[in-house]
């Protein structure tokens, strides 16, 4: 284009450019040598996958003087929580004093925290030895008092009441946790009043036991808590009193002789 010099079509090295002037019968020529040098190569240091709640990362590249741009980038710092979840493109650019402008890019993958849950834990009776805890996704670790082998809750060492537990899972980049409780209920203590002997033609008697939330069962038991000997044979008859409280069920029996 007349007075334009375009280095992009040339090989690396020195190139001669001539300037010729003709005035009247005279012609003069002068030459210069222009050296075409290679453009700088921008190399951005790779960044491993990072969690959305990860700490800010300092970006680095060669040569010195690279300017960084991209989602979540401020000067030379990449902040995952600002960039958001997904694959993020970071561009490094350098403009040197010879007019070379070079860019390079890397992809940084920002991962979401895993969704972590604990399967429902029903109430457990204090007489139970242990229960297995289940967390999702699998492969995590349970912690808390009375937790053994990552996923066992030792009921035999726990007191009656509510016990907090935590399940923590990591996918290698992000980690998350969920909280739950194990409720250990007390075994009911039954006091079943003895009857002893009763005449076959006697009127029904009222059975008594504590706590009063239980159920009587057995030969001769009618109307909930009544024992009627008139329908029974002569001899001993077993009556059972059953109480369910929380996750515990207790029973006690007496023998009534008709």
């Amino acid at each position: 284009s007349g007075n334009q010099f375009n280095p992009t079509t040339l090989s690396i090295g020195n190139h001669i450019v001539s300037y010729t002037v003709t005035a009247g019968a005279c012609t003069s020529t002068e030459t210069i040598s222009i050296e075409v040098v290679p453009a700088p190569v921008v190399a951005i240091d790779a960044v491993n996958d990072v969690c959305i709640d990860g700490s800010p990362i300092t970006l680095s590249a060669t040569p010195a003087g690279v300017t960084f741009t991209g989602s979540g980038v401020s000067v030379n710092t990449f902040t995952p929580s600002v960039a958001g979840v997904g694959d993020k493109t970071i561009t490094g650019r350098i403009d040197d004093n010879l007019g070379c402008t070079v860019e390079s890019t890397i992809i940084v993958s920002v991962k979401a925290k895993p969704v972590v849950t604990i399967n429902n834990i029903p109430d457990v009776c204090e007489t139970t030895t242990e229960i297995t805890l289940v967390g999702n996704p699998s492969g995590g670790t349970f912690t808390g008092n009375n937790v053994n082998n990552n996923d066992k809750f030792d009921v035999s060492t726990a007191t009656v009441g509510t016990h907090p537990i935590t399940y923590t899972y990591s996918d290698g980049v992000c980690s998350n946790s969920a909280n739950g409780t194990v409720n250990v209920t007390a075994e009911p203590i039954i006091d079943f009043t003895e009857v002893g002997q009763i005449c076959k033609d006697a009127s029904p008697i009222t059975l008594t036991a504590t706590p009063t939330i239980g159920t009587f069962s057995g030969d001769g038991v009618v109307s909930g808590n009544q024992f009627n000997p008139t329908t029974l044979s002569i001899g001993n008859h077993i009556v059972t009193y059953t109480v369910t409280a929380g996750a515990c069920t207790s029973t006690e029996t007496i023998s009534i002789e008709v």
Side-chain angles (χ1 to χ4, degrees), residues 33-167:
S33 177
I34 300 177
E35 183 181 3
V36 177
V37 298
V41 176
V42 174
I44 305 174
D45 294 337
V47 177
N48 293 331
D49 293 352
V50 61
C51 189
I52 185 66
D53 65 351
S55 300
I57 297 168
T58 300
L59 302 170
S60 58
T62 55
V66 172
T67 300
F68 297 100
T69 57
S71 177
V73 174
S74 176
V75 187
N76 67 336
T77 300
F78 175 76
T79 304
S81 60
V82 175
V85 172
D87 290 338
K88 307 300 174 179
T89 300
I90 296 177
T91 300
R93 170 175 171 153
I94 191 166
D95 299 296
D96 68 12
N97 56 7
L98 296 178
C100 291
T101 297
V102 180
E103 290 184 348
S104 181
T105 62
I106 62 170
I107 301 296
V108 179
S109 184
V110 180
K111 303 296 186 181
K113 292 169 70 69
V115 176
V116 177
T117 61
I118 298 174
N119 283 9
N120 180 58
I121 305 172
D123 291 350
V124 58
C125 186
E126 64 176 327
T127 58
T128 305
T129 303
E130 69 175 16
I131 60 172
T132 298
L133 306 170
V134 179
N136 304 291
S138 60
T141 302
F142 282 96
T143 55
N145 292 334
N146 308 296
V147 173
N148 299 321
N149 301 322
N150 290 340
D151 66 347
K152 305 296 184 185
F153 183 85
D154 190 349
V155 183
S156 65
T157 62
T159 57
V160 170
T162 300
H163 302 267
I165 58 170
T166 299
Y167 180 68

Side-chain angles (χ1 to χ4, degrees), residues 18 20 26 36-37 77 99 113 138 169 181 215 230 236 238 241:
S18 299
T20 301
C26 296
V36 177
V37 298
T77 300
K113 292 169 70 69
S138 60
Y169 172 82
T181 57
T215 302
T230 61
N236 292 308
I238 300 299
Y241 184 65

Side-chain angles (χ1 to χ4, degrees), residues 17 25 44 126 144 166 168 176 182 185 188 195 213-214 219 238:
V17 176
I44 305 174
E126 64 176 327
T166 299
T168 302
N176 205 355
V182 178
T185 61
V195 173
I213 59 174
D219 294 342
I238 300 299

Side-chain angles (χ1 to χ4, degrees), residues 187-198:
E187 181 184 20
I189 298 175
I190 296 175
D191 183 10
F192 194 171
T193 303
E194 292 283 351
V195 173
Q197 295 178 329
I198 185 173

